[in-house]
């Protein structure tokens, strides 16, 4: 229920921003500013899970829908997923996230951005599972966890560097908060570094 309220609150806060962007595009002259653009990316990610020094090597893929420019920035809707291919010895983290990305228009080959993503993640604990607490005081039981599924908040930043009109290199960092996990606070903080390639499809105009 708390997660649903958080998503609803975020949507209400962002709604005026998106409506303003779309209205600006529709009222402007028919120029490139009216174009929206679809991009896709694939990348390799290093994930510092935040649990007992665990690390993953993962693949990350996603799509972005860039809207019309807005006051020197460009709002973009993003959907991405990360899946571990080397799960390490502690825990493997995978997630599907979506949210808002804001590109800063510098008029150069480098396109920096900041983003805020939200979604669901799963933590698979390596055999024989993750026991918490390890040495509990008398009267407090220990539990062995095999899988945890929870929400993920993920603010981050990065940049795309143009190679051609359609190809770019992506460098990206995310700071993630996972909830409902076996830690003293019930939360987990992980960091994910990503590098990969971006492909830009042709632009198409706003109706």
């Amino acid at each position: 229920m708390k997660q649903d309220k958080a998503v609803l609150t975020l949507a209400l806060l962002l709604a005026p921003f998106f409506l303003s962007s779309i209205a600006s595009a529709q009222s402007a002259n028919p120029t490139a500013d009216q174009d929206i653009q679809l991009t896709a990316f694939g990348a390799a990610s290093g994930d510092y899970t935040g649990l007992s020094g665990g690390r993953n090597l993962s693949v990350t893929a996603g799509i972005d829908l860039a809207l019309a420019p807005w006051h020197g920035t460009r709002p973009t809707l993003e959907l991405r997923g990360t899946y571990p291919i080397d799960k390490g010895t502690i825990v493997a983290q995978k997630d599907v996230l979506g949210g808002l990305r804001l590109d800063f228009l510098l008029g150069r080959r480098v396109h920096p951005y900041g983003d805020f993503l939200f979604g669901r993640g799963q933590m698979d604990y390596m055999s024989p599972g993750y026991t918490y607490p390890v040495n509990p005081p008398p009267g407090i039981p220990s539990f062995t966890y095999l899988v945890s599924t929870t929400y993920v908040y993920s603010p981050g930043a990065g940049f795309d560097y143009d190679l051609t009109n359609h190809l770019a290199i992506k460098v990206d960092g995310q700071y993630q908060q996972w909830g409902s996990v076996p830690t003293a606070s019930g939360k987990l903080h992980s960091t994910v570094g990503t590098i990969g390639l971006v492909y830009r499809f042709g632009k198409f105009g706003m109706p």
Side-chain angles (χ1 to χ4, degrees), residues 1-9 118 120 151 153:
M1 184 62 69
K2 291 182 179 180
Q3 298 170 31
D4 294 339
K5 290 181 179 179
V7 173
L8 179 59
T9 301
F118 175 82
R120 297 289 291 178
Y151 67 85
Y153 294 105

Side-chain angles (χ1 to χ4, degrees), residues 55-68:
R55 300 181 182 182
N56 298 160
L57 176 63
S58 305
V59 292
T60 297
I63 55 174
D64 296 299
L65 183 63
L67 304 177

Side-chain angles (χ1 to χ4, degrees), residues 23-84:
S24 297
Q26 291 177 334
S27 62
N29 293 326
T31 65
D33 286 349
Q34 288 182 273
D35 291 336
I36 60 178
Q37 187 169 47
L38 181 67
T39 63
F41 62 89
S45 298
D47 185 352
Y48 293 84
T49 66
L51 185 67
S52 300
R55 300 181 182 182
N56 298 160
L57 176 63
S58 305
V59 292
T60 297
I63 55 174
D64 296 299
L65 183 63
L67 304 177
W70 183 79
H71 296 284
T73 65
R74 189 162 192 169
T76 298
L77 302 177
E78 178 164 302
L79 178 67
R80 68 165 67 186
T82 298
Y83 186 87

Side-chain angles (χ1 to χ4, degrees), residues 129-145:
Y130 185 80
T131 300
Y132 182 84
V134 178
N135 297 305
I140 303 297
S142 291
F143 297 94
T144 298
Y145 296 81

Side-chain angles (χ1 to χ4, degrees), residues 27 33 45 57 69 89 97 117 148 154 168 186 205:
S27 62
D33 286 349
S45 298
L57 176 63
T89 60
L97 308 173
L117 308 176
S148 295
S154 183

